[in-house]
């Protein structure tokens, strides 16, 4: 079937389309119906079904003869180790871990925070929660204690599962002090912390609540899979919004299983048994969906990679892993390839490896710049697929659907909407715009299975953030256009979210941190264009009258504070002191104009600007940081 036919079959009968896709899942009680719209505009999928995610990702493959197939390959150029876990071994390990958790009283509906580096145990922890019907919330290792504390207070977990440390090139990230610090800061206190001791830096387990990963499983019984309702939350994943308070995206169990399984063949073009690799981190949605769940649900082999695109040890790492482990489909963020391209422009490392096994490469998480795509196409001579998605959706909404049909690739566009997604571009009043015109990108409701039904404990925020602006549609927060062939182009965010090295960050959140600095009167954070990371945050701060601290010291203090409060992942390293911030007469800071000045783009002087001379001061400040060059 061609893409158009598949898309039309969904449009003609979405209910039948998703019930058909649901046949690939092993249900404890099969759904009698796909969509439940009695609470519209909030929707539910497969509400009357009963199912277990871990059973579908692990046990059923063992029962169906895949027990000896490798489920997880761990490849860690940072530690110089490699290992493999078969589906049968995974079943034993996950059932044992779940048994240990159950013995500690963790049960269906309890929340469990997972704070782990890129080791197979991170996936085992996620699967063990799923086995019990416990709701996990994985927190990325690059966040600071304060961010972890915010998530502890929102998710109120019974347990935290963590490792003793993460490993960044040349640096050990000690997790235990971060966890202890976060629990100290948080109002909610978890009952227990299960800690995986890593040889690189074992930690002290002196607190009453701390349990050793292996010891606490001893003498407990392996736990069986607990069937849960189709709408039961599989996990909560926090993502950046406009303010410092992250949004807890809820992932519903049944829709997640059905949709992810569907994507593996139709988008990623792999069959059960093939090796699939998403080079991301378990802390991000890409890691949840395509390192852990989707490949395992579909019976693929997944790779857990603890390394970086460059420097571990060189720009050939990706190609080495692909050749060595026979990877068929590979997925990472454009920033990773920009890093590789910068180190190896002539592709000398690419030539060193035999990449015959690789069929195609996928990019997402940020805009894929045409230069990088063309470089990859030239080097690899394989399809390079840019596709668009969000934490909220959990899987791609717009993509060149290779597994169905490889469509024409248009540089700068992630291609066409997938079944389930009726994307439109609207003006501010909610009118649909003609092809080629820029506006807000929205998706017609209901969103398809597996996408967020709500935010954790925050239904009002869900309605306000996503449903209020354009009734009948989900507001993506992205601006862009659709061309006359139905190809989507993402141009910018409509909110204060920036994208740094494929990581979604809130400038509002950084401003909240800077505003708390004792010498800062007011501040603004903008995202400027960066060749490697896509965007970088730049802070502008105005000092309190009478401050005696030097400008340099305040700037350094601000940088330190963001690292301490949000974490190294914020990559906040550029901060300047200015006398005033450019504002409209009503007091709104002109962040968009500041971004244009930084990126040396043309801009129209805002009619409502209070004092245009301030823009010159901003330009001078940006020049000292190496921006606003023209
Ligand atoms: N734990 C602790 N710290 C972490 C971390 C983790 N899991 N991940 C990143 N950090 C730290 C880094 O060490 C760095 O610290 P530093 O300021 O001391 O150098 C900081 O956070 C910023 O990290 P990053 O933005 O990733 O920059 P980098 O210079 O370390 O690496 C790239 C640059 C392009 C190689 C890297 O960003 C990359 O591989 N990106 C791919 C992104 C990706 O997979 N995104 C997921 C969506 S698909
Ligand atoms: P996250 O929730 O972290 O996955 O970030 C989602 C946001 O990243 C989207 O709303 C976009 O702004 C951006 N994004 C993701 N994929 C793409 C893409 N292929 N092209 C352009 N922007 C993208």
């Amino acid at each position: 079937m061609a893409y158009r036919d598949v898309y039309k079959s969904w449009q003609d009968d979405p209910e039948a389309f998703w019930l058909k896709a649901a046949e690939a899942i092993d249900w404890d009680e099969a759904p009698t119906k796909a969509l439940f719209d009695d609470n519209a505009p909030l929707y539910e999928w497969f509400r009357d079904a009963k199912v277990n995610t871990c059973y579908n990702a692990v046990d059923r493959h063992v029962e169906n003869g895949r027990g000896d197939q490798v489920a997880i390959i761990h490849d860690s150029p940072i530690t110089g180790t490699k290992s493999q876990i078969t589906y049968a071994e995974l079943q034993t390990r996950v059932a044992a871990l779940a048994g240990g958790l159950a013995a500690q009283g963790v049960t269906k509906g309890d929340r469990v925070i997972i704070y782990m580096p890129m080791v197979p145990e991170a996936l085992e922890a996620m699967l063990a929660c799923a086995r019990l019907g416990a709701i996990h919330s994985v927190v990325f290792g690059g966040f600071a204690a304060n961010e972890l504390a915010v998530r502890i207070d929102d998710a109120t977990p019974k347990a935290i599962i963590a490792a003793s440390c993460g490993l960044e090139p040349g640096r050990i990230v000690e997790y235990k002090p971060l966890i202890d610090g976060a629990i100290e800061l948080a109002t909610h206190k978890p009952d227990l912390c299960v800690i995986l001791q890593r040889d690189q830096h074992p930690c002290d387990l002196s607190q009453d609540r701390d349990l050793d990963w292996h010891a606490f499983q001893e003498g407990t019984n392996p736990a069986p899979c607990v069937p849960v309702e189709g709408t039961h939350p599989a996990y909560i994943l926090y993502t950046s919004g406009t303010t410092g308070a992250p949004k807890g995206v809820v992932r519903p169990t049944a829709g997640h299983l059905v949709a992810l399984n569907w994507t593996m063949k139709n988008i990623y073009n792999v069959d059960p048994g093939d090796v699939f690799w998403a080079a991301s981190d378990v802390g991000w949605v890409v890691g949840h969906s395509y390192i852990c769940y989707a490949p395992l649900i579909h019976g693929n082999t997944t790779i857990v990679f603890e390394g970086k695109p460059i420097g571990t040890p060189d720009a050939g790492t990706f190609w080495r892993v692909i050749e060595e482990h026979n990877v068929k489909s590979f997925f990472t963020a454009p920033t990773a390839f920009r890093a590789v391209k910068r180190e190896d422009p002539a592709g000398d490392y690419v030539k060193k490896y035999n990449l015959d096994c690789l069929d195609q490469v996928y990019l997402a998480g940020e805009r894929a710049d045409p230069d990088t795509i063309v470089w990859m196409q030239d080097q690899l001579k394989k399809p390079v697929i840019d596709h668009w998605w969000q934490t909220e959706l959990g899987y791609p909404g717009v993509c060149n659907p290779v597994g169905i049909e490889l469509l024409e690739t248009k540089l700068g566009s992630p291609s066409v909407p997938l079944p389930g997604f009726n994307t439109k571009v609207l003006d501010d009043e909610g009118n649909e715009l003609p092809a080629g015109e820029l506006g807000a990108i929205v998706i017609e409701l209901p969103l398809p299975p597996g996408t967020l039904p709500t935010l954790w404990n925050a239904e009002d925020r869900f309605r306000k953030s996503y449903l209020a602006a354009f009734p009948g549609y989900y507001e993506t927060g992205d601006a862009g256009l659709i061309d006359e062939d139905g190809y989507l182009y993402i141009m910018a965010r409509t909110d204060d979210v920036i994208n740094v090295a494929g990581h979604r960050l809130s400038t509002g959140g950084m401003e909240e941190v800077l505003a708390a600095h004792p010498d800062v009167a007011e501040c603004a954070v903008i995202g400027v264009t960066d060749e490697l990371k896509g965007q970088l945050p730049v802070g502008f701060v105005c000092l309190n009258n009478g401050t005696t601290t030097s400008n340099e010291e305040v700037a350094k203090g601000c940088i330190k504070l963001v690292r301490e409060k949000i974490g190294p992942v914020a990559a906040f390293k550029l901060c300047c002191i200015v006398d005033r911030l450019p504002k409209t007469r009503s007091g709104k800071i002109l962040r968009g104009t500041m971004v244009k000045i930084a990126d040396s783009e043309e801009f129209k002087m805002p009619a409502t600007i209070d004092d245009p001379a301030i823009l010159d001061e901003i330009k001078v400040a940006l020049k000292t940081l190496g921006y606003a060059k023209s």
Side-chain angles (χ1 to χ4, degrees):
M1 252 217 257
Y3 157 75
R4 296 274 158 218
D5 302 323
V6 176
Y7 192 78
K8 185 160 184 313
S9 76
W10 163 72
Q11 270 179 319
D12 289 348
D13 193 346
E15 180 84 10
F17 183 92
W18 291 117
L19 281 174
K20 175 94 192 109
E23 287 171 11
I25 297 306
D26 280 297
W27 303 94
D28 291 274
E29 286 174 31
T32 61
K33 184 168 149 49
L35 180 67
F36 292 79
D37 60 3
D38 41 300
N39 194 23
L42 306 191
Y43 296 89
E44 291 175 318
W45 291 92
F46 308 114
R47 185 166 75 197
D48 67 358
K50 286 262 173 70
V51 69
N52 183 277
T53 297
C54 183
Y55 177 78
N56 276 276
V58 184
D59 301 56
R60 67 164 171 168
H61 300 310
V62 180
E63 290 169 18
N64 295 337
R66 287 192 183 280
D68 292 336
Q69 182 192 312
V70 174
I72 302 175
I73 297 172
H74 184 227
D75 189 310
S76 170
I78 296 197
T79 58
T81 58
K82 289 171 209 169
S83 59
Q84 300 191 334
I85 299 171
T86 64
Y87 271 102
E89 288 163 345
L90 186 61
Q91 185 185 30
T92 306
R93 291 165 68 130
V94 170
L97 178 60
L101 291 170
Q104 293 294 326
V106 175
T107 179
K108 183 184 165 211
D110 285 340
R111 272 81 56 213
V112 175
I113 281 190
I114 299 175
Y115 192 62
M116 301 277 285
M118 288 298 288
V119 292
E121 287 85 350
L123 277 59
E124 290 169 16
M126 294 162 83
L127 292 163
C129 291
R131 197 170 186 87
L132 299 173
I135 304 166
H136 65 65
S137 187
V138 182
V139 179
F140 178 61
F143 281 122
N146 187 56
E147 290 287 325
L148 185 54
V150 169
R151 287 154 176 78
I152 292 173
D153 275 337
D154 198 67
T156 57
K158 181 172 271 183
I160 294 183
I161 305 181
S164 56
C165 68
L167 302 170
E168 284 293 286
R171 175 163 74 95
I172 287 178
V173 184
E174 290 182 42
Y175 281 180
K176 191 63 187 351
L178 289 169
I179 294 162
D180 290 345
I183 294 173
E184 180 77 33
L185 282 170
T187 312
H188 172 83
K189 310 290 175 195
D191 294 351
L192 62 140
C193 293
V194 177
I195 308 284
L196 175 76
Q197 294 283 22
R198 297 192 78 188
D199 294 344
Q200 292 76 16
H201 188 90
C203 64
D204 169 44
L205 300 183
S206 56
Q207 307 265 5
D208 284 351
R209 48 152 218 264
D210 297 340
L211 301 170
D212 173 76
W213 177 286
H214 296 288
F216 103 116
Q217 296 179 31
E218 276 165 25
T220 65
N221 295 320
C225 295
V226 176
V228 301
E229 301 74 28
T231 51
H232 182 72
Y235 67 78
I236 306 162
L237 177 57
Y238 289 90
T239 189
S240 300
T242 302
T243 67
K247 295 168 170 169
V249 168
V250 172
R251 187 75 57 218
T253 296
H256 183 230
L257 281 162
V258 172
L260 287 191
N261 187 69
W262 184 88
T263 61
M264 287 308 284
K265 179 64 193 166
N266 292 287
I267 297 179
Y268 296 106
N269 203 19
V270 286
D271 293 307
D274 289 338
V275 182
F276 176 86
W277 180 25
S280 176
D281 187 285
V282 283
W284 307 115
V285 67
V286 175
H288 282 61
S289 297
Y290 292 107
I291 296 174
C292 182
Y293 288 114
L296 296 178
I297 293 164
H298 195 247
N300 291 101
T301 299
T302 186
I303 299 185
V304 174
F305 172 72
E306 188 175 37
K308 301 273 174 178
I310 53 172
T312 59
D314 55 40
T317 305
F318 279 172
W319 320 127
R320 194 266 303 160
V321 172
I322 290 169
E323 180 193 272
E324 196 170 324
H325 303 301
N326 205 25
V327 174
K328 190 169 176 202
S329 271
F330 175 48
F331 175 178
T332 193
T335 190
F337 280 115
R338 287 196 294 271
V340 171
K341 172 172 159 248
R342 197 162 76 167
E343 293 264 309
D344 184 26
D348 293 334
Y349 281 109
V350 187
K351 294 180 197 91
K352 277 176 62 181
Y353 297 92
N354 178 345
L355 302 180
D356 287 350
C357 57
L358 184 68
D359 281 356
Q360 60 269 314
V361 172
Y362 296 83
L363 298 173
E366 55 170 330
R367 183 172 171 270
D369 54 292
D371 279 359
T372 302
I373 295 192
V374 169
W375 180 82
M376 290 172 63
Q377 287 168 337
D378 288 349
Q379 295 301 330
L380 300 173
K381 314 267 184 295
K382 320 253 178 192
V384 176
I385 313 292
D386 174 19
H387 60 338
W388 171 89
W389 50 306
Q390 309 185 299
T391 304
E392 289 84 345
L393 305 178
Y395 58 98
V398 175
C399 179
N400 196 330
V402 198
I404 303 172
E405 179 192 5
L406 180 60
L407 302 173
E408 178 199 353
T409 303
K410 295 195 190 191
L411 285 179
S413 168
S415 300
V416 294
L418 291 167
F421 297 90
N422 184 7
T423 38
K424 295 194 172 165
V425 176
L426 306 184
D427 68 14
D428 289 347
E429 277 73 51
N431 305 307
E432 193 172 344
L433 287 166
E437 285 194 27
L438 188 70
I441 297 171
V442 298
I443 305 169
E444 194 177 38
L445 295 173
L447 290 175
T451 56
L452 84 169
T454 188
L455 293 173
W456 181 252
N457 283 339
E459 191 182 302
D460 270 3
R461 190 175 181 196
F462 171 70
R463 289 176 187 268
K464 278 193 200 116
S465 305
Y466 301 106
L467 307 181
F470 303 107
Y473 296 98
Y474 161 85
E475 184 186 9
T476 64
D478 282 342
L481 55 91
I482 299 178
D483 76 5
E484 57 293 344
D485 297 325
Y487 279 60
L488 191 84
Y489 290 77
I490 310 285
M491 311 305 278
R493 287 288 301 188
T494 56
D495 56 15
D496 295 331
V497 165
I498 59 170
N499 204 312
V500 180
H503 307 141
R504 178 167 155 182
L505 300 166
S506 163
T507 52
M510 294 186 216
E511 287 177 4
E512 284 174 27
V513 172
L514 296 183
H517 187 290
D519 293 316
V520 171
E522 64 172 343
C523 62
V525 175
I526 59 168
V528 301
T529 300
D530 180 72
E531 251 181 44
L532 176 65
K533 297 194 178 185
Q535 283 183 297
L536 274 183
V538 175
F540 296 84
V541 299
C542 305
L543 303 187
N544 289 321
N545 277 342
T547 298
T548 51
T549 328
S550 73
N551 284 1
E552 202 192 355
E553 257 180 82
V554 176
K556 268 195 198 154
C558 285
I559 290 169
K560 189 163 165 271
L561 202 58
V562 173
R563 196 176 171 96
E564 271 168 22
K565 294 283 181 201
I566 297 180
V569 68
F572 183 81
K573 294 187 175 168
L574 301 167
C575 184
C576 45
I577 313 300
V578 290
D579 286 336
R580 298 170 298 170
L581 293 170
K583 291 185 185 167
T584 61
R585 279 188 285 277
S586 60
K588 190 169 175 296
I589 299 173
L590 291 162
R591 294 181 183 79
T593 310
M594 293 161 82
V595 171
K596 289 213 157 71
I597 295 174
D599 292 348
S600 307
E601 276 181 29
E602 293 277 316
F603 67 92
K604 234 171 73 198
M605 182 64 71
T608 54
I609 190 164
D610 188 31
D611 179 359
I614 302 179
L615 293 180
D616 295 329
E617 294 167 27
I618 294 294
K619 192 167 179 178
V620 172
L622 279 162
K623 274 182 189 287
T624 62
L625 298 175
Y627 292 88
K629 287 190 186 127
S630 65

